[in-house]
Amino acid sequence: MDIHNIRRIAIKIGSNVLSNDDGSINRHHIYEIVREIAKIRESGIEVILISSGAVACGRDTIREHVVKKLDSVQQRQLYSAVGQITLMNLYSQFFGDYGLQVGQVLTTKENFKTRTLYLNQKNCISTMLENGIIPIVNENDTVSITELMFTDNDELSGLVATMMDVQILLILSNVDGIFKGDPKEKGSTVIREVEPGTDLTGYISSGKSGFGRGGMVTKYNIASKVAKEGITVVIANGKKDASIITGVVFTPDQYTFTRFIPQQHNLSGVKKWIAHSNGFAKGSIYINANTVKAISGERATSILPVGVTKVEGEFEKDDLIMVLSEDGENLGMGKSAYNSAKAAQIAGKHGCRPIIHYDYLFLY
């Protein structure tokens, strides 16, 4: 990517990148990361930071003072409540050394559920960027519960990257990228570039990283989806050398990482929101083979009631619903123009306006 075309990037930093091997926070390395981000800001490029580490900071601060045994949810809530303060103080202090100010954006998955909440977050981050402030985004672990949590901050970074129209999403982990084989085995090499539509699932381990919730499977899935939406995605090792942050932007040929080449098309803001909202679908419609063929073609096509064979679930007008083929293949999502009762009533009939208009339809 031409450096002159880069206006804004998102950088996701995993817990392992910020932590020592024993799980304690590595303040020196955080400062090195801040230094590299400051160099990017000096070039005029806006930066959005999606940072893990609050739970690790909290654990590092108070684990010796916890008076009762905690379950996993209680641990996350307690450690993140304390750790968010520690983490933001570190970022504020370190960025302040370079004359930069930061602001905190705590969010939950529910805040991406409706278009109104989605736009509210986008406007908040946009205002911060317009005023020269670096947004630092993290999940609000103090109030999130299992069914409402992001898979991890990799998922959150994908949502933020597409929402904010960045040109690059840099996902920093403790591995150099996606390997051809086991990264621990001698001779295993990093896959340098991933073309659109390439399937790498055979190369990826399902294991989790040491102190985070995520793993390479999640990173690969998020990277593939975001690249499909026109954004360059890089998975790189931010633990051993913080200079890779500026290297990805300014001197990419000098570093080793996996780059996902973006597909060259632009999605509307509404479709970007729908693309990452599969967890919020209230129901489903099944469509016949002719409709599947029509929406898969090059022409913009809405889903008409005549092509719908079945309606499932209870949903209201403007709710998000899944689109499936008659054999159950998940084809995409869209915003329904009808409630479920009306959709079921007109399914298979001619002469009705679309159940999902093309402008509100995202296909996988």
Side-chain angles (χ1 to χ4, degrees):
M1 173 178 285
D2 187 348
I3 181 65
H4 299 293
N5 294 328
I6 302 174
R7 298 176 292 98
R8 180 182 295 167
I9 71 171
I11 302 172
K12 184 267 176 178
I13 306 176
S15 295
N16 283 282
V17 177
L18 304 180
S19 304
N20 295 305
D21 292 341
D22 63 357
S24 61
I25 288 297
N26 187 332
R27 285 166 171 78
H28 174 71
H29 194 60
I30 295 176
Y31 193 87
E32 291 181 329
I33 288 170
V34 168
R35 180 190 64 219
E36 297 302 311
I37 294 174
K39 292 177 183 177
I40 294 175
R41 285 287 289 109
E42 286 176 3
S43 71
I45 297 173
E46 295 177 337
V47 178
I48 302 168
L49 192 57
I50 300 94
S51 180
S52 302
V55 173
C57 277
R59 186 190 303 113
D60 196 23
T61 302
I62 64 167
R63 59 178 147 191
E64 295 181 359
H65 303 286
V66 177
V67 297
K68 58 173 285 190
K69 187 174 181 180
L70 305 173
D71 61 33
S72 59
V73 172
Q74 290 173 326
Q75 286 183 32
R76 288 182 58 79
Q77 291 175 325
L78 176 61
Y79 291 149
S80 64
V82 175
Q84 282 291 350
I85 299 172
T86 304
L87 183 63
M88 287 304 299
N89 279 338
L90 288 174
Y91 278 130
S92 181
Q93 175 188 340
F94 293 163
F95 275 111
D97 289 346
Y98 294 94
L100 296 169
Q101 289 188 314
V102 299
Q104 186 178 43
V105 180
L106 290 176
T107 189
T108 66
K109 201 165 187 175
E110 283 286 289
N111 289 332
F112 291 86
K113 185 175 182 179
T114 69
R115 183 73 175 151
T116 300
L117 291 172
Y118 180 88
L119 291 176
N120 187 47
Q121 290 185 102
K122 181 175 183 177
N123 292 337
C124 172
I125 296 174
S126 295
T127 300
M128 295 169 73
L129 293 172
E130 289 166 2
N131 286 276
I133 295 171
I134 298 176
I136 301 179
V137 186
N138 195 7
E139 181 171 14
N140 191 351
D141 291 313
T142 60
V143 298
S144 294
I145 55 177
T146 304
E147 61 268 24
L148 298 179
M149 288 166 58
F150 298 102
T151 305
D152 50 47
N153 270 351
D154 295 319
E155 181 184 6
L156 176 58
S157 72
L159 284 161
V160 171
T162 54
M163 178 175 70
M164 299 309 302
D165 298 318
V166 305
Q167 283 70 56
I168 298 176
L169 169 59
L170 171 56
I171 299 176
L172 294 177
S173 185
N174 59 345
V175 292
D176 293 340
I178 299 176
F179 282 76
K180 292 182 179 179
D182 188 337
K184 298 177 182 178
E185 291 183 2
K186 186 177 180 180
S188 183
T189 58
V190 172
I191 300 171
R192 300 298 295 265
E193 289 195 342
V194 182
E195 294 290 342
T198 304
D199 185 2
L200 298 182
T201 52
Y203 294 114
I204 300 172
S205 167
S206 60
K208 296 288 190 292
S209 55
F211 298 106
R213 298 206 308 272
M216 191 54 73
V217 171
T218 304
K219 290 176 175 59
Y220 168 70
N221 289 337
I222 294 299
S224 298
K225 177 182 285 189
V226 173
K228 183 178 179 181
E229 295 164 40
I231 297 172
T232 298
V233 184
V234 172
I235 298 175
N237 192 334
K239 188 175 180 69
K240 65 183 182 183
D241 185 2
S243 71
I244 199 169
I245 296 172
T246 48
V248 165
V249 177
F250 301 124
T251 56
D253 293 340
Q254 298 179 19
Y255 290 85
T256 299
F257 50 76
T258 299
R259 178 196 285 117
F260 287 73
I261 307 300
Q263 289 188 15
Q264 298 302 313
H265 68 265
N266 294 318
L267 294 176
S268 69
V270 172
K271 290 198 177 193
K272 287 179 180 179
W273 165 61
I274 294 173
H276 290 269
S277 299
N278 53 306
F280 300 124
K282 295 293 185 66
S284 307
I285 58 171
Y286 291 76
I287 58 177
N288 60 32
N290 287 336
T291 304
V292 172
K293 184 177 180 180
I295 65 173
S296 302
E298 295 183 359
R299 294 183 59 186
T301 305
S302 302
I303 297 179
L304 298 171
V306 67
V308 175
T309 59
K310 184 168 62 171
V311 176
E312 285 187 341
E314 294 185 8
F315 51 88
E316 299 299 323
K317 179 180 180 294
D318 294 332
D319 278 347
L320 295 175
I321 57 175
M322 293 188 294
V323 179
L324 298 96
S325 67
E326 288 186 290
D327 59 4
E329 179 186 0
N330 193 352
L331 304 173
M333 284 189 61
K335 189 168 76 167
S336 177
Y338 302 93
N339 62 33
S340 52
K342 183 64 176 179
Q345 179 185 341
I346 62 175
K349 294 183 178 180
H350 291 273
C352 303
R353 61 190 177 92
I355 286 185
I356 300 177
H357 190 275
Y358 173 79
D359 289 345
Y360 303 99
L361 173 65
F362 176 80
L363 300 175
Y364 299 135

